[in-house]
Amino acid sequence: MGHFVTQILDFLTGLGYWGIMLGLMIEIIPSEIVLAYAGYLVYRGEVNFTEAIIFGTIGGVIAQIFIYWIGRYGGRPFVEKYGKYIHLKPKHIDWAEDWFNRYGAGLIFTGRFIPVFRHAISIPAGMARMPFWKFVGLTTAAIIPWSILFVFLGHKVSDMGKDWHNIDEAAGPYTYTFLWAAVGLTALYFIYKILRRKKKK
């Protein structure tokens, strides 16, 4: 992990729970790393597990609200021009927009567990003017288990005497489980939508 990232994490540590929330809001560092670091702080007794989850969830949801607002009020031209600053390429937006237009709001939940897609899906939700509180509810429901997983893993790795920086290796089996579960839920959702369309016809 780079020295710059370590410096940011050290700064966020001084802010306690608010640092966890801020780290997830600004998305300079991947959420998995911030949450794993929160787990490390839980292990050291500097923060409480439950409150780390709460503040992590709040920060993660606020980050997605920002992206939703970009899609809603900035539109496609703004996203194409500035999306690179939030790690979104035009092809990611095209992909997410196409799937959102086809299958709708359910992807806001299931898509949160799929890399890249989990951030990109907030853009078409905003552009389609998806009801704000529905967006927030589905986003929160997905971010809670994600936050629990990585705070837990950060704590577990530290408790085993390993370096929490190696969170990717420790998280591998768990994230694959999340990914396949998300793919399964998404497939079921697609089937439901397709059958519903056929029934209407």
Side-chain angles (χ1 to χ4, degrees), residues 12-31:
L12 294 175
T13 301
L15 302 177
Y17 301 111
W18 299 102
I20 296 170
M21 186 176 75
L22 182 62
L24 289 160
M25 282 173 57
I26 59 179
E27 288 274 344
I28 294 176
I29 307 170
S31 61

Side-chain angles (χ1 to χ4, degrees), residues 2-178:
H3 180 64
F4 175 68
V5 173
T6 302
Q7 282 186 318
I8 293 176
L9 289 173
D10 287 341
F11 168 73
L12 294 175
T13 301
L15 302 177
Y17 301 111
W18 299 102
I20 296 170
M21 186 176 75
L22 182 62
L24 289 160
M25 282 173 57
I26 59 179
E27 288 274 344
I28 294 176
I29 307 170
S31 61
E32 300 93 318
I33 294 177
V34 176
L35 291 167
Y37 191 66
Y40 169 66
L41 296 180
V42 171
Y43 168 74
R44 288 174 52 179
E46 296 184 24
V47 298
N48 174 276
F49 184 88
T50 301
E51 291 180 343
I53 300 300
I54 292 172
F55 279 80
T57 299
I58 292 171
V61 171
I62 291 175
Q64 294 307 313
I65 289 174
F66 287 152
I67 299 174
Y68 169 89
W69 280 341
I70 288 172
R72 181 160 183 162
Y73 299 109
R76 181 79 190 214
F78 185 91
V79 173
E80 289 183 347
K81 187 173 182 179
Y82 298 105
K84 61 185 177 181
Y85 297 110
I86 51 175
H87 311 295
L88 291 178
K89 299 178 181 178
K91 64 179 181 180
H92 299 148
I93 300 165
D94 290 338
W95 179 38
E97 186 175 11
D98 179 54
W99 283 69
F100 184 85
N101 290 336
R102 282 193 203 179
Y103 301 107
L107 291 176
I108 297 297
F109 176 80
T110 59
R112 293 294 175 202
F113 305 104
I114 301 174
V116 179
F117 192 81
R118 67 172 178 252
H119 298 301
I121 194 61
S122 297
I123 295 288
M127 292 171 66
R129 296 186 175 274
M130 177 181 177
F132 178 72
W133 291 112
K134 185 176 184 180
F135 172 82
V136 171
L138 290 169
T139 299
T140 302
I143 289 179
I144 288 173
W146 189 257
S147 299
I148 292 172
L149 172 65
F150 280 94
V151 172
F152 167 76
L153 287 175
H155 182 279
K156 182 178 179 180
V157 168
S158 301
D159 192 40
M160 292 171 63
K162 296 182 179 179
D163 190 340
W164 71 270
H165 292 76
N166 298 322
I167 190 64
D168 288 342
E169 181 181 341
Y174 297 91
T175 50
Y176 280 126
T177 300
F178 262 68

